[in-house]
Amino acid sequence: ELLRSCERRLSQLGRLRQAKRVEGRVAVAADALQDAMHLQLRRVSASYDAGRYAAAVGCALTLDRVDELVNRVHMNFAEAIKLCTKDVLHSHVVLSLGGDGAVSGPQLRALELGKYKDVCGQLREDYFDSCLAHNFSALLRVLHAHHRMLRHLVAAEAAARAAADEARAALDAA
């Protein structure tokens, strides 16, 4: 709300020297708010939390970027799937190579930066089943987060329809 107020006052001030000085600060605050929205969406994609989702929606409404929010939700779930499977694979490859102490810093960086197929090639066969099971578990957590978000959205839509119906009935009765 404060950000919107600042933007309104900034547009009212027009070309005054003071407005030019404040304009950069408002833009920095808007960027910080947008970054906060993206962070909350990334977190919600991996593990759904209604409060975090509400915070992301609040940021999007404040910034008047609801379309971006919708697009980011889809991108973040896809990214969460990719990251969770890569993290599981990475940890299993490190374990199969002898654990944290046996893997050098350059080897760890190569694993982190390596392509998925190249990292897969380094997984020892005796770790495959465990890696696969943990990947399924990680994917189910992302799927569960997505399902919880959809349930939240369906409930919010039903509540909005009920409120709209109630408002129409009140107007009709008046």
Side-chain angles (χ1 to χ4, degrees), residues 20-161:
K20 295 289 184 193
R21 193 172 45 123
V22 175
E23 188 174 24
R25 292 181 190 160
V26 171
V28 167
D31 289 344
L33 192 56
Q34 184 175 358
D35 290 345
M37 176 185 76
H38 294 168
L39 175 65
Q40 294 307 322
L41 284 176
R42 280 193 301 276
R43 287 180 176 166
V44 165
S45 297
S47 175
Y48 181 76
D49 178 87
R52 285 184 177 154
Y53 183 68
V57 170
C59 289
L61 291 171
T62 298
L63 294 169
D64 197 24
R65 294 182 180 159
V66 175
D67 289 344
E68 182 181 338
L69 175 81
V70 172
N71 291 334
R72 282 283 181 167
V73 165
H74 295 292
M75 287 181 357
N76 283 322
F77 274 110
E79 188 70 19
I81 289 168
K82 188 169 71 174
L83 288 175
C84 78
T85 57
K86 189 169 183 182
D87 287 347
V88 168
L89 175 63
H90 180 269
S91 65
H92 280 77
V93 168
V94 169
L95 284 173
S96 76
L97 294 174
D100 286 334
V103 181
S104 69
Q107 284 177 310
L108 283 174
R109 280 188 292 287
L111 287 174
E112 289 171 6
L113 299 175
K115 292 184 178 184
Y116 194 81
K117 67 177 184 158
D118 297 333
V119 177
C120 282
Q122 296 183 43
L123 182 66
R124 285 193 0 221
E125 194 171 323
D126 53 327
Y127 281 81
F128 179 80
D129 289 340
S130 173
C131 183
L132 186 61
H134 285 108
N135 259 315
F136 284 144
S137 177
L139 288 170
L140 283 174
R141 280 192 303 274
V142 174
L143 184 60
H144 186 246
H146 190 264
H147 177 71
R148 289 183 64 199
M149 179 182 286
L150 290 177
R151 280 192 359 221
H152 174 85
L153 292 173
V154 167
E157 181 183 19
R161 277 194 191 138

